[in-house]
Amino acid sequence: MLEIVCRSTGLGFAAVAQVTDETWLACQVRDDAGFGLQADTVLRADAMPCWEVRRHRRPVVIDDAGPDTEMLGLSSSGSLGFRSYMSFPITMPDGEIFGTLCAIGREPAALDRPEITGLFQQFSELIGHLLDAQRQPPVPRPRLEEAEFASWERNEPLRALIEHLPVGAGLFGSDGQALVANAILQPLLSQGRVPGADPDAAPHWTGYAGDGTVLDPRDHPFARALRGDRVPRTRFHHRGDDGTGRWTRISGVPLRGTTDNARTRNGKEPAVLLFVEEEREAEETRRASDERFRRFAEHSTNVLWLADLESRRLTYLNHALRRVWGVAPERLPSLESWLETIHSDDRDSVERTLERVWDGEAVVQEYRILRPSDGAVRRIRETVFPIAREDGRVRQLGGIAEDVAGHTGARIYLVDEDAAARRALLGLLQRAGYEVQVFAKAAALAEVASALQPGCVILDIETAGPESLTVAKALRAGRLALPVLVIGRSQGDVGFGVRAMKAGAVDYLEKPCEPAVLLTAVSTALAELRTDTERSHAHDDAKLRIAALSPREREVLEGLLAGGTNKSIGRALGLSPRTVEIHRARVMEALGARTLPEAVLTAARAGVQPTESQ
């Protein structure tokens, strides 16, 4: 009950206290805020506003006591360090004031709300009736078992409490049948039965111990509460008839004692009060994580995909598919349609890899695809991994596919129609340590250019003719990582080299050229290629890091780019300097920057602009 008070109010401390004219005695305490008060703690009666509650027999609700609490007569609130306070009187049925149900917090809180005051009112009334039941002697009165259990249902304070609680709540007999269940809990029950009572019936409930193992039904909160244990917040997964799931926490409280209005079966088989709370914090965390993943996936240069094994449908494909496969995600709705794009020589190997992943193994594989859009061959490196559900069975696959045709290397593509000249250049380049691929015709290179790894193209136009310069022009237009080095004889035409450069060549060498000159030109072209690739990777990495920022973190970054301080940024965004400092630290961590200049450089690479108002 005190846990529900803390969660509902947002305060870190709640207690049931017995209050007299002289003392405040803590009977039950929940202290998550570190006030240092425990059960059996005794304070002077005037040390807490509960004294005012007892004296005037009415609640006290303080949203913010402010830094100066003397005006409120709260002599010890300063030493305890609380700013918000709420206390309701616990009145016994005969009108005697037992004490109070109270809660305190270190920060201001919005407590004066009907849903909060109503909860305190119900709880304080219930506590009064329970205390009265404990001090009354048993009144033996033989009844039928059914009537005895029905008496729990006629306990009006208990019924009202259950119906008005902001979480799922219900009272269950020892047979597992609901005697009372509020509107939040009812949709989660199967024929009014306690959660988990029928493992094979829908909706399905699976309980988990702290170490993640599945709980035996004998250790469920209901079963343990029947044995007299108080069971706090056991984790359960609930799966409805439609297959949707949610995580919850179930608490069990045994109800004992005998009164005229509420009695157990001869006091031996108590009823059980269950509280079922949805894991809101976990759900909010999951939604935030999903949002970060979505932003990451939208800006990723790699293809990210998810597939359902039962339906064999591709349930998720990001937009990078358009760049790598050349088609929209809608064009590949299933695993079969995806497998059809894989080169026939590699398809069997990929299918065997998928079978290994189904068995729970994560695998890295490489294969070629024939792009559906243009038939071009692309080489793919892909990590495929299993995704297991809560029962441990693999139900989904995930994959991260990278176009490795975009990796730099020291590969040379030699185009020369003269066999003797081709052999001489091939030997020179191989002795220099380069991997060389030879083409006898420029057209042959053009046909497979889109599938080639990055490297330098050496184009001898002496035998191929000036018309082969169209290949250089096409490679540049296609933005392929294939810089072209043209060699040939100008025959005294001083404009020949200029035309080669305008066609897209990075350099022109007049034949015959010295081997050292040729190797220097090749090395320079490859160095520029590596620089361009590194710059492109840095740009992509910066975009991914920026995309992972929350909207508020992005605003703080833009303020920093404009030269703002924590104070000026906070003023512009309506935040405290301390909050800006926290966001700033998260920004630096997300960008992988140790200093502000590093963060500015990363943001500039991603094209982030400073806030105009700064």
Side-chain angles (χ1 to χ4, degrees):
M1 196 177 297
L2 297 181
E3 179 181 350
I4 293 175
V5 168
C6 288
R7 290 173 61 85
S8 300
T9 60
L11 304 182
F13 177 93
V16 174
Q18 184 176 15
V19 184
T20 67
D21 291 336
E22 293 79 25
T23 61
W24 181 94
L25 169 65
C27 300
Q28 293 289 335
V29 171
R30 183 179 182 89
D31 186 3
D32 296 331
F35 282 103
L37 301 179
Q38 302 175 349
D40 298 328
T41 296
V42 179
L43 301 174
R44 294 199 327 269
D46 62 352
M48 299 283 278
C50 299
W51 181 66
E52 296 290 330
V53 175
R54 170 182 169 80
R55 188 173 66 172
H56 297 290
R57 306 177 69 92
R58 62 171 181 258
V60 170
V61 180
I62 303 173
D63 288 348
D64 185 4
D68 181 12
T69 57
E70 293 297 329
M71 64 179 183
L72 297 174
L74 309 180
S75 60
S76 71
S77 63
S79 60
L80 287 176
F82 67 77
R83 292 285 297 272
S84 49
Y85 181 91
M86 190 168 191
S87 181
F88 269 63
I90 297 175
T91 307
M92 308 297 281
D94 59 5
E96 176 189 349
I97 297 293
F98 170 83
T100 64
L101 170 64
C102 62
I104 58 179
R106 295 190 182 278
E107 301 294 335
L111 302 177
D112 195 7
R113 293 178 288 151
E115 60 269 26
I116 300 298
T117 56
L119 177 69
F120 264 68
Q121 183 68 44
Q122 294 290 343
F123 273 15
S124 59
E125 290 181 5
L126 175 62
I127 292 171
H129 281 279
L130 292 177
L131 291 172
D132 183 62
Q134 290 180 1
R135 71 180 185 179
Q136 294 292 334
V139 180
R141 190 184 335 177
R143 294 189 181 190
L144 295 175
E145 292 183 349
E146 292 79 2
E148 291 174 351
F149 270 90
S151 65
W152 283 109
E153 301 176 73
R154 291 197 297 269
N155 187 314
E156 293 304 325
L158 180 61
R159 174 185 287 275
L161 167 69
I162 291 173
E163 291 177 349
H164 290 88
L165 280 175
V167 299
L171 179 68
F172 295 84
S174 61
D175 59 356
Q177 195 67 33
L179 304 176
V180 180
N182 66 7
I184 300 175
L185 182 60
Q186 288 175 5
L188 305 180
L189 302 180
S190 173
Q191 299 179 346
R193 299 279 291 164
V194 69
D198 304 308
D200 297 327
H204 300 280
W205 292 87
T206 306
Y208 292 88
D211 60 2
T213 57
V214 176
L215 281 178
D216 186 289
R218 290 171 296 184
D219 293 323
H220 283 189
F222 173 75
R224 288 181 56 192
L226 277 180
R227 299 195 293 267
D229 297 337
R230 298 177 65 89
V231 187
R233 305 192 76 233
T234 302
R235 199 165 192 241
F236 272 76
H237 185 266
H238 168 269
R239 189 170 75 253
D241 297 335
D242 58 356
T244 58
R246 71 177 73 181
W247 287 99
T248 63
R249 296 279 183 172
I250 299 182
S251 303
V253 179
L255 292 184
R256 299 179 181 275
T258 304
T259 68
D260 288 340
N261 294 325
R263 60 191 303 125
T264 62
R265 298 179 182 176
N266 300 322
K268 296 180 180 179
E269 298 184 52
V272 173
L273 186 61
L274 289 186
F275 301 100
V276 181
E277 305 171 73
E278 187 171 359
E279 284 194 327
R280 298 185 184 277
E281 294 179 2
E283 180 67 13
E284 291 173 359
T285 301
R286 183 192 65 79
R287 289 175 181 171
S289 177
D290 288 348
E291 175 63 17
R292 286 184 178 271
F293 171 77
R294 184 189 64 79
R295 293 201 302 267
F296 168 81
E298 286 180 354
H299 295 84
S300 176
T301 57
N302 296 333
V303 176
L304 309 180
W305 59 267
L306 296 173
D308 181 81
L309 290 182
E310 295 180 359
S311 65
R312 295 185 66 82
R313 303 285 296 177
L314 286 171
T315 57
Y316 178 79
L317 276 168
N318 69 339
H319 291 296
L321 187 77
R322 295 179 183 271
R323 182 183 62 82
V324 180
W325 260 259
V327 296
E330 297 79 25
R331 289 281 303 277
L332 299 180
S334 65
L335 282 173
E336 281 68 29
S337 61
W338 167 68
L339 287 169
E340 289 176 1
T341 67
I342 297 175
H343 196 288
S344 57
D345 293 343
D346 300 336
R347 195 172 298 154
D348 290 342
S349 173
V350 172
E351 290 181 334
R352 289 193 298 270
T353 295
L354 292 181
E355 292 176 359
R356 291 167 57 192
V357 180
W358 292 341
D359 293 334
E361 182 180 356
V363 179
V364 179
Q365 62 179 346
E366 288 196 15
Y367 56 86
R368 292 164 295 172
I369 64 168
L370 296 175
R371 299 201 337 164
S373 59
D374 54 13
V377 178
R378 308 297 289 177
R379 179 170 293 277
I380 305 297
R381 180 182 294 126
E382 182 175 57
T383 301
V384 189
F385 49 89
I387 301 175
R389 288 188 179 176
E390 65 276 0
D391 58 6
R393 295 178 60 188
V394 176
R395 304 293 180 87
Q396 287 185 304
L397 301 183
I400 305 172
E402 178 185 14
D403 182 3
V404 294
H407 289 177
T408 61
R411 183 178 288 254
I412 306 298
Y413 302 102
L414 176 58
V415 181
D416 199 323
E417 296 186 9
D418 182 85
R422 193 164 61 236
R423 284 194 299 270
L425 286 174
L426 177 61
L428 172 65
L429 294 167
Q430 287 179 335
R431 287 192 298 273
Y434 292 113
E435 182 180 351
V436 184
Q437 185 173 346
V438 177
F439 295 89
K441 298 286 186 181
L445 170 70
E447 288 178 0
V448 296
S450 60
L452 296 178
Q453 295 183 21
C456 177
V457 176
I458 300 177
L459 176 61
D460 187 346
I461 63 171
E462 182 179 11
T463 54
E467 62 275 9
S468 61
L469 288 176
T470 57
V471 173
K473 185 179 298 185
L475 295 180
R476 185 175 66 174
R479 296 185 177 180
L480 301 177
L482 296 168
V484 178
L485 173 61
V486 174
I487 61 175
R489 299 181 189 272
S490 62
Q491 305 295 341
D493 184 357
V494 295
F496 192 79
V498 175
R499 290 194 294 275
M501 300 287 283
K502 286 185 176 181
V506 296
D507 203 351
Y508 169 75
L509 298 179
E510 181 77 16
K511 293 179 65 175
C513 56
E514 292 294 329
V517 175
L518 176 63
L519 293 177
T520 298
V522 170
S523 178
T524 300
L526 290 175
E528 292 178 357
L529 175 60
R530 281 190 291 271
T531 299
D532 290 342
T533 303
E534 290 170 0
R535 186 180 298 112
S536 176
H537 287 173
H539 174 73
D540 292 340
D541 178 70
K543 287 185 63 178
L544 290 176
R545 290 179 181 273
I546 294 296
L549 297 177
S550 68
R552 180 65 78 189
E553 291 166 353
R554 175 71 178 253
E555 290 175 338
V556 170
L557 173 61
E558 292 171 354
L560 292 172
L561 294 179
T565 64
N566 290 350
K567 184 178 293 186
S568 64
I569 295 172
R571 189 163 51 247
L573 300 179
L575 303 174
S576 69
R578 174 57 181 162
T579 302
V580 174
E581 183 179 346
I582 293 172
H583 285 305
R584 177 173 177 164
R586 291 174 180 168
V587 168
M588 298 292 284
E589 180 182 1
L591 299 186
R594 292 172 296 180
T595 64
L596 183 57
E598 289 182 5
V600 171
L601 180 59
T602 300
R605 287 171 178 162
V608 179
Q609 299 297 320
T611 304
E612 294 181 0
S613 60
Q614 290 288 338

